[in-house]
Amino acid sequence: MKTSEQGLHRGLGERQIRLMALGAAIGVGLFLGSGNAIRMAGPGIMLSYIIGGAVIFLIMRALGEMAVHNPVAGSFSRYAQDYLGPLQGYLTGWNYWFLWLVTCVAEITAVAIYMGIWFPDVPRWIWALAALASMGAVNLLAVKAYGEFEFWFALIKVVTIILMIVGGAGMIVFGLGNDGVAIGIANLWTHGGFFPNGAQGVLMSLQMVMFAYLGVEMIGLTAGEAANPKKSIPDAINSVFWRILIFYVGALFVILSIYPWNEIGTTGSPFVMTFERLGIKTAAGIINFVVLTAALSSCNGGIFSTGRMLYNLALQGQAPKAFAETTASGVPRRAIMVSVLALLIGVLLNYLVPEKVFIWVTSISTFGAIWTWGIILVTQLKFRQTLSPLEIKNLAFRMPFAPYGSWISLAFLALVIGLMAYFPDTRIALVIGPAWLLLLTVLYYVLGLAPKEGAEEVPQGYEAGWPPADGHLPRKK
């Protein structure tokens, strides 16, 4: 095995990264969690997705600005270490690892729910274990093979949503599958109005909406293995907002037009219900397969993320050195295996408390994501402070509306945290999340991971020649 930065191979092409960026965000949050969000906000949920999508776009542009400037493994964890300090880089890396652990628990929980439709007598934990084993095996392949696998997983989801939007539009306008009687869009306002629960309903839904976007920041983690990061990363990020409008808002527009909002989510996934309403009764099993692959895809990406983050933490000296070793094909096998073993806890939760797992892990994942997104924004603000006006102007991929976009996005994330504290079901995240960060901080000092006095750290990607002649990164004092 190798232990250098060169151990990772740049095997991800533009086509794969573009679909991975979209596929990571289209998973449990849209296919399964959208029913809960719709019950909170009614048709106004579309506004929640638009607002959340705009904030996510700004966060991704902030990350892209740094990732194109310095495309390294570890991405935002490494940038946090370089610009905020070793403790912040350590906390961000381990928090992101934990975030994807609990997110993958949500994904394998969803797999168990979907498989239960076909095999109701089989215990959920068996399907959760099978999903974990299969996705773990995929991640042990070369990164190019992983990228190709994820590409086709994501394509299944994208094609399905497009078909649903087109078919639903046919029902709305031409009465397709409804005996030629056009359904129209009156359902958007005839059941209590477009905002049946008022502004409070839209605010209530934001926590679940933001969980749906968890995973788009994975684009930054691909920078260290992208064949051409200066082109593929900007292309993927720039398409995020428009894809959100098409796939999230477009799909929800069709669903909410066909069904009264207060009937959605009471009998399963709104996607399955919509295809059944289109008259394709025999397609229910196929649609169940599609949402099953959506959950597997997101879990697949989660295992990829946890493995790469452990790899980066090992390079920074903040995780066991063995995690920095890669196979001849550039896969951090030991880091991936440790993450898969930790995910067995999710299988245990499916066995002990299957009904509570989903709401627990979505709220905890959202807290972890908000911490990560907040760190990205703060790091980007600090990053710009190290550059001269001319250097900022010459950045290959600049964040728009800086620095105001970063401050507005941070305020929005603070609002979501406040909403999580308000609702009893999501309050647990504000106990477990900070407790996890506190535990990590204690371990940081107890294990002696803090840099020694007078020691100078060399940022990742600059090992061959430090300090850099262009001055983009300040020397550590």
Side-chain angles (χ1 to χ4, degrees):
M1 287 192 175
K2 305 174 184 178
T3 58
S4 69
E5 167 68 11
Q6 299 304 316
L8 293 180
H9 294 179
R10 290 193 177 275
L12 293 175
E14 296 173 28
R15 170 180 61 91
Q16 294 166 327
I17 291 177
R18 194 175 296 116
L19 262 292
M20 286 171 63
L22 180 60
I26 301 178
V28 165
L30 179 60
F31 286 108
L32 189 63
S34 57
N36 295 328
I38 289 170
R39 285 197 297 274
M40 294 177 181
I45 189 64
M46 289 185 283
L47 179 61
S48 300
Y49 274 96
I50 291 172
I51 294 172
V55 172
I56 286 296
F57 175 70
L58 290 175
I59 293 170
M60 291 308 303
R61 284 299 298 260
L63 175 59
E65 182 174 280
M66 297 181 288
V68 172
H69 182 72
N70 185 22
V72 295
S75 188
F76 38 84
S77 172
R78 187 66 211 194
Y79 306 142
Q81 167 146 321
D82 291 343
Y83 299 109
L84 302 180
L87 176 60
Q88 288 79 1
Y90 161 86
L91 288 175
T92 301
W94 278 106
N95 176 71
Y96 196 70
W97 178 79
F98 181 67
L99 176 161
W100 269 111
L101 281 187
V102 293
T103 300
C104 284
V105 171
E107 305 296 355
I108 61 179
T109 299
V111 168
I113 291 172
Y114 296 139
M115 291 301 292
I117 295 175
W118 288 327
F119 306 99
D121 297 328
V122 179
R124 282 188 184 177
W125 68 268
I126 292 180
W127 297 120
L129 181 61
L132 177 58
S134 59
M135 292 303 96
V138 167
N139 272 271
L140 293 175
L141 302 173
V143 68
K144 187 174 183 179
Y146 158 80
E148 194 64 24
F149 192 91
E150 190 61 22
F151 171 84
W152 289 105
F153 254 175
L155 192 62
I156 291 172
K157 295 183 285 189
V158 170
V159 170
T160 301
I161 294 174
I162 291 175
L163 289 175
M164 193 208 70
I165 292 174
V166 173
M171 275 192 75
I172 293 168
V173 179
F174 303 111
L176 179 67
N178 195 44
D179 298 324
V181 179
I183 291 179
I185 60 173
N187 277 329
L188 294 178
W189 59 79
T190 55
H191 299 276
F194 190 77
F195 299 104
N197 296 322
Q200 181 182 2
V202 174
L203 290 173
M204 287 169 58
S205 68
L206 286 177
Q207 181 263 326
M208 188 63 75
V209 165
M210 296 310 290
F211 170 73
Y213 291 138
L214 193 161
V216 293
E217 71 289 328
M218 193 192 303
I219 300 173
L221 290 180
T222 66
E225 294 170 270
N228 185 8
K230 292 189 181 297
K231 185 176 190 305
S232 57
I233 301 300
D235 286 351
I237 290 175
N238 282 335
S239 65
V240 164
F241 184 67
W242 299 112
R243 289 176 178 178
I244 284 171
L245 285 181
I246 294 171
F247 293 106
Y248 281 85
V249 181
L252 289 171
F253 176 84
V254 168
I255 290 171
L256 291 163
S257 296
I258 295 173
Y259 274 102
W261 69 269
N262 51 1
E263 294 181 13
I264 295 175
T266 58
T267 57
S269 167
F271 279 76
V272 176
M273 292 169 57
T274 301
F275 273 96
E276 289 179 342
R277 182 67 182 270
L278 281 169
I280 315 174
K281 301 296 183 182
T282 57
I286 298 175
I287 303 308
N288 196 57
F289 168 76
V290 171
V291 293
L292 178 66
T293 61
L296 287 172
S297 171
S298 194
C299 181
N300 195 30
I303 295 175
F304 172 88
S305 298
T306 53
R308 269 55 183 185
M309 192 56 74
L310 277 185
Y311 170 81
N312 176 72
L313 287 165
L315 289 178
Q316 295 174 189
Q318 296 170 341
K321 291 183 179 179
F323 295 159
E325 297 178 353
T326 62
T327 64
S329 57
V331 175
R333 179 180 295 169
R334 290 180 178 174
I336 290 172
M337 289 301 297
V338 167
S339 297
V340 170
L341 290 174
L343 278 168
L344 288 174
I345 297 173
V347 177
L348 179 64
L349 286 175
N350 271 278
Y351 176 72
L352 296 176
V353 285
E355 301 305 322
K356 289 288 186 180
V357 169
F358 190 75
I359 188 65
W360 286 359
V361 297
T362 55
S363 56
I364 295 169
S365 295
T366 303
F367 175 85
I370 289 173
W371 170 273
T372 300
W373 296 334
I375 285 291
I376 289 172
L377 293 166
V378 173
T379 303
Q380 186 265 344
L381 289 169
K382 190 70 174 177
F383 162 69
R384 284 212 167 200
Q385 291 177 8
T386 68
L387 304 180
S388 68
L390 180 60
E391 288 172 327
I392 293 175
K393 183 179 179 181
N394 290 333
L395 285 171
F397 189 55
R398 286 186 293 169
M399 178 188 178
F401 313 118
Y404 308 107
S406 296
W407 288 114
I408 292 171
S409 299
L410 284 169
F412 177 83
L413 295 180
L415 170 64
V416 176
I417 288 289
L419 293 170
M420 292 173 67
Y422 180 77
F423 299 108
D425 281 344
T426 55
R427 207 169 290 157
I428 186 175
L430 302 186
V431 175
I432 295 179
W436 168 245
L437 293 178
L438 179 60
L439 174 62
L440 286 175
T441 303
V442 171
L443 290 174
Y444 179 77
Y445 290 104
V446 169
L447 298 177
L449 297 177
K452 302 296 186 289
E453 187 69 27
E456 182 181 29
E457 295 178 60
V458 180
Q460 184 178 345
Y462 290 85
E463 292 86 349
W466 180 258
D470 59 12
H472 281 156
L473 285 176
R475 293 191 63 167
K476 303 289 182 183
K477 301 297 183 184

